[in-house]
Amino acid sequence: MARRTTSNSTGTSPGPRNRTPQPLPRRRRTFGDFLKAFVAFVALLVLLIGVPGSLASQIGWPLPSGAPSLDWLQKEISVDTFINTLTVVVWFAWAQFTACVLVEVKAALSGVGLPNRVPGAGPSQLLARQLVAALLLVGATAASFTPGLSQLGQQLEGNQRPVAAAAQQTPGGLLGQQQEQAASTAAALAEQAAHAAVHAESGSGAHASADDTKFYRIQPPEGRHHDSLWEVAERHLGDGRRYKEIYQLNKDRTQPDGSKLSEASLIRPGWIMEMPGDARGGDLVEVPDEAPKAPQASQASKVSEEVRQQLTDYARTGGAEGAGGQLGGGSGSLDRDTAHISLPEQRPAPDRGHQHGQPGQQGQGGQQGQEHAAPAAGEDGGFGLPQALLGAPLLAAGLLGALGRRRRQALWQSALGAVGGRRGMEPPTPTGAAADAQDALLVGADPEGVRLLDLSLRGLAASLAGESRPLPTVYAAWMSGNGDLHLQLAQPAGKPPAPWQLGQDQTFWMLARADAERYEDVDTAAPYPGLVSLGTMDDSRLLLNLEAVPGIVSLSGREQDRAGVFASVAAELATNGWSDRMTITLVGFGEDLTPLAPNRLRHLDDIEALVETMEAETRQRRGALGAAGHDSVLTGRTGPAQHTRWAPHLVLLAAEPSAEDAVTLAELAADASRLGIGYLVGTQSGELPGAAWEMEITSEGKLLAPLLGLELDAQLLPVSQQRAVVELFVDADPERADDRPTTTPPFLVDISEQGRPAVYARLVGPYEIIGLETPDGERSPLLHEALALLLLHREGVHPRVLSSALWPRGVTDDVRDALVERLRAWLGNDPDGTPRLGSDATGRLTLAKSVVSDLDVLRSLYHEATQGRGANSRAVRGRLLTDALVLVRGPLLAERSGGRYGWLTHEIIDAQLPLLVADIGLALSAFHLEKDRAEKAIEALNAALGSAPGDERLWNELLRATHATGDSDRLKRLAADLVARSGARGLPPRTEALLDELLPAWRSGVAAVG
C-alpha cells in the first residue's frame, strides 16, 4: 500500500524551502534539439494534414451515399467494402489524434495543470504530447508554454526529482503515471523560468519572486462542504492532483491560529496558503510590501488591514504569531471547522521482545500479535481461518462478547424449565464454516483493547463533566500499534483533562496506554457510541464517528465490495462494547444480520420507508433538544442531563437512492450531526448530493478517500463469513430452545469401574492431575493451562486458538508447535501406541478418551441419572446424583495462578457449571422429598448452593424443604436470611409469592427476627 508521509513540527523537511526560484546554469539548445523539433514538425504536418488529404484524394467518401436498406445488408462483401470500412477506422483514429494534439497544445499554452485525458487515447496522446513538447521546447518562452510536458524520448517514469512550478520540492510517485511524466521535467522548466524572467519577450515567465507570491485564505464552509487542498488546487491550478505542491509550500508553517499544517488533507478556515506562481483566481491575493506597486495596491485593498498584516507576517517569517482565533471561522457551530481525517504521529513503540505481530493487525493494547495476523498461504497445515475476522480485533471482540451473552441467556432461560431432562444445557457444537468463524473470533478478538477504549472515552466524558466543559466533536479515533488512543477533533477545544494530552496539534487529544490502564469504571454515558472501525493504515486502526459527520458519508465501488463494508460496520455497531444503546437502520442489505442484536438492528424494505421514518425522527429529535435546552446530543451526554443518554441513530443505506431521494436525504443530513444521526449511503457512480465525505472500496480491499487523504486496508465482513457468524447467533437463540431435542453432553465417559481413565484431571475446585508426572517447574503452568483448555473443548481446539489463549500478546509458530509437541510427550500414548494428543480431519487438537476430567464425569453422571438408567430406576438415580454432588469441590479451576486463564472470559462454562450443580442439587432434593427426607434434601441443596449461590431455584426449593420439616422458626430465619441477602433490590417476585404461600406473615416475622 502506498503510504503517506506524516510530517511533524519537529521533523526535518526533505530539503530547503526556497520561496524564490534559484537561477540555474542555463541549458543551451543543441543541434539535436532543433533536429527533434524539425522532425516533430514534419510528423505533425504529415499526421494532421497529409493523412486526411491522402484519404480524401485517393479513396474519397467511404460511407454509403444513401440510407441503408435490407438489400444492402444482404450484398456480398467486396474488396471496396473492406477498404471503405478500414478508411472509416483510419478517419476515427485521425480525429482522435487531432483531438489529442489540440488538448496538448491548449494545456501547453495555458500553462495550468496537466493536460486533460482524451478517452481511449493513451498511446495516441502520449505521441501527441512528445511531438508538441519537442516542437515547443525550442522556443524562447517554452517555460511558460510547457509546465507539464516531458522531454522527447524520455520514459514516462522520469528519473529527475519532482519540483513544483514555483521551484518547491514535492514528493512524487503517488499520483499515477501521468503526473510522474509531467514532473520529470519540472527542474528543467524551473531553470528556463529563471532565465525567462530576464529574457522573455512578453514577461509571462513562470517564476514566483517574493514580490508577486500569491496567497489564498481558507474560507468557512458556507453553503458547501469543507474546503480541501485538492479543491483549492483544482480551482486555482487547474488540477486537484497538484495539491501536494501547495502542501510542500506550507507544511509545518505556523498559521494565524497558532497551529500548523502537518498533513496534506488537514486545513481549517482562516488558514493562509502560499500558492505556486501559476495559480489563478479572483480570490487570490499577493503579499503586500511596505511600498506596494499599483497592481499590488489594488489587490491588497480587497482584504482587511488585519489580513494584510497576517499575509505579510506569513510571507516574511513563516507564521503569524499572536494572531489568535480562526479567521472567517466561528466557534458557535460544531461543524465550522474542517471535516478531514489525518494520521496521528506515532510515538516510539515499546520493545516487544519475542513478539512478531504484523502491522495493522494489533488492537489498542497490542494484544494481538502474530496470532492475529493473517497466515501465509499453506500455513496451519493447509487450512486457515476467516481472514476478515482475524484482522478485525474490535469487531471480533464485540461479536464474541455478544455471542457469550446470548448463550448465557439461553442457559438461564432453559433453567426455568423442568428439573430433570430439560433442554438447552449444552449449546450445539458449531461445525464447518461456523466452527471456523468461532475460532477466528477467539483468535482475532481484542477484548482488552475494547475495554480500554470504553474506559478511556467514558473517563474523558466524566472529567469534562466535572470541569463543566462540553464534549468536543470527534470525527475519528486512531488506535495506534503501540496502544495509544488518538482522538481527532473537529476543531480545537483547548487543553484536554488529565491524563489526556495534546497530540501533534490542537485538534488531536492523545491518551497513552499506560494512562488508560489506570482508569476505573465510571457511571457516565458513552460519549461517542457512533465510532466504528473502517480499516488500518500505517499500523493504526481508524474508527470513524458516523454520527458526527456533517452530512452524508458516501461509499462507492462494486456492489459485493460495498456489501462487505456495510456488513462489517453494521455488525460492529450492533455489538461493540463502547456504546450503551443505539438504533441501526439497514436498508437494501443485512436482513440476516438482525440475529446479532435484535434490539439494535432493524431492517426497512425500501428508501421510501426510510425517508418517512427519518423525517419523523428528525423532527422529534429537534423538538427534544429544544425542549431540553441542548445545542446538540453531545451536550446532552454530559452534565446533569446525561441520564437521557441521547442514543445515536445510524442509517446504513446500501441501495443507491434516486436523484429525488438523494436530495431529500441530503436535506435530512444537513443537521444530522447535531441530532446524533449518521448516514452511510452506497452509490455506484461515486457522486451523491450532500456527501460530506466520499469513500471508495476497491476490489483489492482498499478503502480510499482522496479528499480525506486516506488509503486504508478496509475492514470487511464478506457474505460467507457473515452467514457463518449469523449461524452462531441463531443456534444460540434462546427462543429456539423449545424446538430442539434434548441435548447430550459433547463427551460421555464410562462411569463403571471398567472405565477408569489413564489420565484424570480435577477441574471443579483446585486443579489436580492424576496419572501424570509433574513436568518441569518452569513449563508446568503452561502445560496445565493448555490441558485445561483441551479438556473443556472435547470437540477439538484449533492450534491458533490454543496459542492465542496461552499467549494473548502473540507468539511465533515455532514456539506454539514446540509447546504442542511438549504437551504430546507429557500426555504419552495409550497401550495400543496411539498418542493421547492427536488431531482431527480439520487439524484441530483433540484428546483421547483415556484423558478425562471430573467435569466430564459430572456431566455423564447427571445425564445417566436423568436420561439413562436412572430414569427408570429410583435407586440408581439417587446413587448417581449423590456421586455427582460429591465431585463438586468448589468453583472451576479454583486457586489458579493470577495472570493466566484469561481465555475463560470467552467461555460459558462459568454459567454452565453452576447451573449443572444446581440441577443436580434440585434433582437430589426432589429424590429425598419423595420419601419425606427433608433433612437430606436440605443437605443436598446447601451443598449445591456452595457452587451456585445466586440460583433462585435452589433458594426456593430450600424454602419448601425447610417448610417440610415443620419448624416455623427455622423457616422464619431462612426468610430473614434471604431478605438480608437481597439487599436494596428486594426479593425476586417468585420468591415473594412462595413465601406468601408458605409463611403468610413472613414480612412481620422477618421484621421481628431482624
Side-chain angles (χ1 to χ4, degrees):
M1 166 179 105
R3 296 179 178 177
R4 297 178 304 159
T5 302
T6 305
S7 305
N8 55 60
S9 58
T10 60
T12 58
S13 301
R17 178 182 287 123
N18 299 322
R19 300 183 185 174
T20 303
Q22 300 299 317
L24 302 175
R26 179 180 177 183
R27 179 182 179 274
R28 298 181 179 277
R29 293 184 292 274
T30 63
F31 175 75
D33 294 333
F34 287 100
L35 180 60
K36 290 178 182 179
F38 177 74
V39 172
F41 175 77
V42 172
L44 288 172
L45 193 64
V46 170
L47 293 174
L48 296 179
I49 300 177
V51 169
S54 299
L55 291 175
S57 61
Q58 298 299 322
I59 299 178
W61 183 253
L63 299 177
S65 57
S69 63
L70 185 61
D71 295 338
W72 181 79
L73 295 175
Q74 296 175 347
K75 288 183 179 180
E76 183 181 355
I77 298 177
S78 62
V79 175
D80 291 339
T81 304
F82 178 78
I83 293 176
N84 288 338
T85 303
L86 184 61
T87 302
V88 171
V89 174
V90 175
W91 272 111
F92 274 115
W94 172 83
Q96 185 186 59
F97 178 77
T98 302
C100 293
V101 173
L102 294 176
V103 167
E104 295 296 327
V105 171
K106 177 182 178 299
L109 293 177
S110 66
V112 178
L114 295 173
N116 294 326
R117 295 183 60 184
V118 178
S124 297
Q125 188 165 6
L126 177 60
L127 175 61
R129 182 175 303 161
Q130 291 177 334
L131 293 175
V132 172
L135 184 62
L136 295 181
L137 281 175
V138 299
T141 60
S144 63
F145 287 156
T146 58
L149 302 177
S150 297
Q151 295 181 9
L152 184 63
Q154 291 194 357
Q155 299 177 353
L156 282 175
E157 294 81 16
N159 55 11
Q160 296 180 347
R161 183 167 185 167
V163 182
Q168 299 295 321
Q169 296 176 345
T170 60
L174 296 179
L175 300 179
Q177 193 176 35
Q178 195 173 32
Q179 184 172 356
E180 293 182 6
Q181 178 186 15
S184 63
T185 57
L189 299 179
E191 169 197 345
Q192 295 183 20
H195 178 68
V198 181
H199 298 283
E201 295 86 356
S202 63
S204 60
H207 76 291
S209 67
D211 293 334
D212 60 0
T213 300
K214 296 181 178 66
F215 291 88
Y216 174 71
R217 190 163 64 92
I218 305 301
Q219 302 300 317
E222 297 178 358
R224 56 180 174 83
H225 58 273
H226 299 273
D227 217 341
S228 68
L229 291 185
W230 181 288
E231 292 173 314
V232 172
E234 197 169 50
R235 288 197 304 270
H236 301 296
L237 300 177
D239 192 335
R241 291 171 293 184
R242 294 184 63 188
Y243 77 93
K244 286 185 176 292
E245 298 178 27
I246 306 175
Y247 171 54
Q248 289 295 325
L249 287 170
N250 297 276
K251 68 174 184 177
D252 298 332
R253 296 171 65 178
T254 303
Q255 293 291 336
D257 63 356
S259 54
K260 297 180 180 180
L261 176 68
S262 59
E263 281 295 324
S265 61
L266 183 61
I267 60 175
R268 304 185 192 133
W271 277 14
I272 298 171
M273 293 289 123
E274 182 178 341
M275 302 292 289
D278 61 341
R280 301 290 185 269
D283 51 355
L284 294 173
V285 295
E286 295 179 0
V287 58
D289 55 17
E290 298 301 328
K293 302 174 185 178
Q296 292 172 326
S298 176
Q299 279 186 319
S301 64
K302 300 178 183 179
V303 297
S304 65
E305 186 64 30
E306 179 185 11
V307 174
R308 289 183 60 194
Q309 183 61 42
Q310 290 172 348
L311 290 171
T312 303
D313 294 341
Y314 190 76
R316 182 186 302 122
T317 65
E321 303 297 338
Q326 293 185 5
L327 302 178
S331 58
S333 172
L334 291 174
D335 302 325
R336 281 307 262 187
D337 211 337
T338 183
H340 288 299
I341 306 300
S342 58
L343 188 66
E345 295 176 358
Q346 300 296 299
R347 304 191 320 155
D351 183 13
R352 299 182 184 271
H354 66 281
Q355 299 172 26
H356 301 283
Q358 296 184 5
Q361 299 295 338
Q362 293 184 341
Q364 176 180 351
Q367 296 294 317
Q368 315 306 328
Q370 175 76 10
E371 294 308 310
H372 293 171
E379 188 178 328
D380 288 333
F383 72 98
L385 297 175
Q387 303 306 313
L389 296 175
L390 290 176
L394 304 185
L395 170 61
L399 289 171
L400 198 60
L403 181 60
R405 291 190 295 271
R406 181 70 55 82
R407 287 174 172 171
R408 287 178 174 84
Q409 181 184 7
L411 286 174
W412 282 107
Q413 288 196 15
S414 179
L416 300 178
V419 172
R422 64 182 175 82
R423 301 179 177 90
M425 171 58 77
E426 300 295 338
T429 301
T431 58
D436 290 339
Q438 178 172 274
D439 287 340
L441 293 177
L442 290 168
V443 174
D446 181 17
E448 181 66 10
V450 172
R451 186 184 71 86
L452 291 179
L453 175 62
D454 185 44
L455 286 177
S456 301
L457 296 178
R458 293 181 193 267
L460 174 64
S463 299
L464 290 172
E467 298 177 6
S468 299
R469 295 172 58 185
L471 281 168
T473 302
V474 169
Y475 281 144
W478 289 94
M479 299 176 68
S480 65
N482 60 12
D484 295 343
L485 175 62
H486 302 257
L487 296 183
Q488 185 164 355
L489 314 183
Q491 60 186 7
K495 184 179 179 181
W500 290 78
Q501 308 171 19
L502 283 176
Q504 62 199 49
D505 58 38
Q506 296 290 326
T507 62
F508 274 96
W509 285 5
M510 190 273 291
L511 180 68
R513 175 183 169 82
D515 294 327
E517 290 175 337
R518 290 194 285 267
Y519 264 121
E520 297 180 355
D521 291 327
V522 291
D523 183 19
T524 188
Y528 304 112
L531 286 170
V532 64
S533 303
L534 291 184
T536 57
M537 179 179 181
D538 294 348
D539 199 23
S540 293
R541 183 169 303 276
L542 171 66
L543 288 84
L544 181 66
N545 190 6
L546 280 180
E547 68 165 337
V549 178
I552 293 175
V553 179
S554 68
L555 177 66
S556 61
R558 298 188 308 172
E559 183 177 359
Q560 59 268 35
D561 298 325
R562 298 200 315 265
V565 176
F566 275 106
S568 171
V569 169
E572 185 169 298
L573 288 173
T575 61
N576 71 53
W578 54 88
S579 61
D580 298 316
R581 58 189 181 92
M582 65 175 65
T583 300
I584 307 161
T585 298
L586 312 180
V587 184
F589 83 105
E591 291 184 73
D592 294 333
L593 288 177
T594 49
L596 302 184
N599 295 330
R600 284 192 179 186
L601 289 168
R602 69 175 178 180
H603 185 271
L604 297 181
D605 295 331
D606 51 35
I607 300 178
E608 181 179 356
L610 172 67
V611 171
E612 181 180 354
T613 300
M614 297 314 299
E615 285 179 342
E617 179 155 351
T618 299
R619 289 193 301 268
Q620 180 182 3
R621 291 202 171 210
R622 283 175 179 160
L625 282 178
H630 296 308
D631 296 330
S632 71
V633 295
L634 286 180
T635 57
R637 288 181 186 154
T638 55
Q642 64 170 303
H643 63 277
T644 58
R645 300 298 183 181
W646 301 104
H649 186 167
L650 304 175
V651 176
L652 308 181
L653 173 58
E656 182 170 9
S658 64
E660 181 180 356
D661 290 333
V663 172
T664 303
L665 288 175
E667 294 174 352
L668 290 173
D671 197 29
S673 61
R674 187 177 68 89
L675 304 176
I677 303 176
Y679 293 86
L680 177 62
V681 181
T683 171
Q684 188 71 31
S685 62
E687 298 180 358
L688 195 67
W693 291 346
E694 298 176 348
M695 299 186 297
E696 176 188 0
I697 179 65
T698 69
S699 57
E700 292 79 21
K702 298 291 185 181
L703 190 64
L704 309 178
L707 297 183
L708 302 179
L710 295 178
E711 181 179 347
L712 303 172
D713 292 323
Q715 178 172 298
L716 306 171
L717 187 60
V719 174
S720 59
Q721 298 176 33
Q722 173 185 332
R723 291 172 179 166
V725 169
V726 170
E727 182 181 342
L728 292 173
F729 279 80
V730 171
D731 287 342
D733 188 356
E735 301 299 328
R736 300 183 68 236
D738 294 335
D739 301 330
R740 289 179 290 185
T742 302
T743 55
T744 301
F747 179 69
L748 292 175
V749 300
D750 184 358
I751 56 177
S752 66
E753 191 65 26
Q754 292 75 23
R756 184 179 298 274
V759 178
Y760 182 67
R762 305 178 73 180
L763 304 179
V764 184
Y767 192 2
E768 299 177 13
I769 297 179
I770 302 171
L772 292 177
E773 294 184 0
T774 303
D776 297 342
E778 295 180 356
R779 296 192 177 103
S780 179
L782 205 59
L783 291 174
H784 278 70
E785 185 175 1
L787 180 57
L789 178 62
L790 291 168
L791 286 168
L792 292 178
H793 291 277
R794 303 301 307 218
E795 73 277 8
V797 176
H798 195 290
R800 299 189 70 189
V801 174
L802 177 66
S803 57
S804 177
L806 299 180
W807 294 283
R809 298 180 66 87
V811 69
T812 56
D813 292 346
D814 57 339
V815 174
R816 177 193 67 195
D817 296 340
L819 171 78
V820 172
E821 291 304 319
R822 193 173 293 113
L823 182 60
R824 182 176 285 114
W826 181 43
L827 293 175
N829 301 331
D830 283 334
D832 61 358
T834 304
R836 294 181 180 133
L837 177 62
S839 301
D840 63 9
T842 65
R844 288 173 170 81
L845 301 172
T846 58
L847 291 174
K849 292 184 178 180
S850 58
V851 182
V852 174
S853 72
D854 56 354
L855 185 59
D856 298 326
V857 177
L858 190 66
R859 287 168 169 162
S860 300
L861 287 170
Y862 178 69
H863 181 268
E864 188 69 17
T866 56
Q867 302 179 42
R869 292 179 295 136
N872 300 317
S873 173
R874 185 177 185 281
V876 172
R877 181 168 70 254
R879 178 172 54 83
L880 293 175
L881 291 174
T882 302
D883 292 344
L885 202 56
V886 170
L887 291 177
V888 181
R889 301 175 299 123
L892 184 74
L893 295 170
E895 303 176 4
R896 59 180 179 265
S897 59
R900 304 213 65 90
Y901 298 89
W903 47 270
L904 281 174
T905 59
H906 303 315
E907 306 286 342
I908 63 168
I909 186 61
D910 61 334
Q912 282 180 297
L913 181 58
L915 286 176
L916 177 59
V917 173
D919 281 351
I920 295 172
L922 291 171
L924 188 56
S925 171
F927 172 81
H928 288 304
L929 287 177
E930 287 176 3
K931 295 296 183 180
D932 295 327
R933 294 196 291 262
E935 292 298 337
K936 288 287 186 180
I938 293 173
E939 181 181 348
L941 293 170
N942 284 327
L945 281 169
S947 295
D951 197 313
E952 179 188 356
R953 300 171 303 153
L954 289 175
W955 288 105
N956 291 349
E957 197 65 22
L958 184 59
L959 287 172
R960 292 189 180 96
T962 304
H963 179 266
T965 63
D967 189 344
S968 59
D969 292 336
R970 185 176 181 182
L971 183 59
K972 290 179 181 178
R973 289 194 298 270
L974 178 59
D977 185 30
L978 277 175
V979 171
R981 286 174 177 269
S982 62
R985 294 176 301 175
L987 291 174
R990 286 191 180 91
T991 304
E992 282 193 357
L994 180 60
L995 279 174
D996 288 337
E997 177 187 350
L998 301 179
L999 191 64
W1002 68 274
R1003 290 177 174 84
S1004 59
V1006 165
V1009 173

